[in-house]
Amino acid sequence: MMDVTPQRLKEELDKGTAFLLVDLQETEKYQHAHIPGAVNIPMASFAEQYPAVLKDKAMSIVAYGEYDDLHKGSDAAKVLEDAGYTRVGHIVGGLHGWQEAGYRVEGGWES
């Protein structure tokens, strides 16, 4: 599992690197603010929902929650690794870390 800083993620997004961003917030929070391009799979139902969305176990996947201190991103990455996904990581600091670094979000609270 990779720890991905907000700065590294931004660099990869700017380069057009192919990967899937997974936002683990509850749907209401996702609708208010998420990293552009992220898909929403709430952590509360992650184990049931991810197989339908994340079909390619070789794809690069970066997961994040609202804050890193809740460990949602790393917990989801661990679930994926245990299921045989080979290129997974989580954003250090979560969405809050992304916003603290000054990067744009989409949703009702766009910055």
Side-chain angles (χ1 to χ4, degrees):
M1 173 186 348
M2 291 184 310
D3 293 339
V4 180
T5 65
Q7 295 79 10
R8 170 98 188 272
L9 178 62
K10 179 72 165 106
E11 290 170 8
E12 296 300 322
L13 286 169
D14 289 347
K15 287 194 300 190
T17 303
F19 59 89
L20 182 64
L21 275 173
V22 178
D23 184 302
L24 301 162
Q25 300 180 94
E26 293 305 315
T27 302
E28 297 78 26
K29 287 189 175 188
Y30 170 83
Q31 290 171 345
H32 286 291
H34 59 273
I35 297 172
V39 297
N40 182 226
I41 307 175
M43 192 63 187
S45 57
F46 185 77
E48 296 82 29
Q49 290 188 23
Y50 84 81
V53 178
L54 311 176
K55 296 178 189 258
D56 180 0
K57 291 188 176 187
M59 79 169 70
S60 294
I61 301 167
V62 179
Y64 68 91
E66 185 175 5
Y67 295 96
D68 197 35
D69 61 341
L70 299 177
H71 305 289
K72 287 182 180 180
S74 58
D75 289 350
K78 178 76 170 116
V79 167
L80 294 173
E81 280 186 331
D82 290 348
Y85 290 79
T86 57
R87 300 173 68 194
V88 297
H90 72 98
I91 300 173
V92 176
L95 179 64
H96 182 73
W98 175 263
Q99 290 175 296
E100 285 288 307
Y103 302 130
R104 187 175 77 79
V105 297
E106 293 179 334
W109 294 336
E110 290 187 30
S111 61

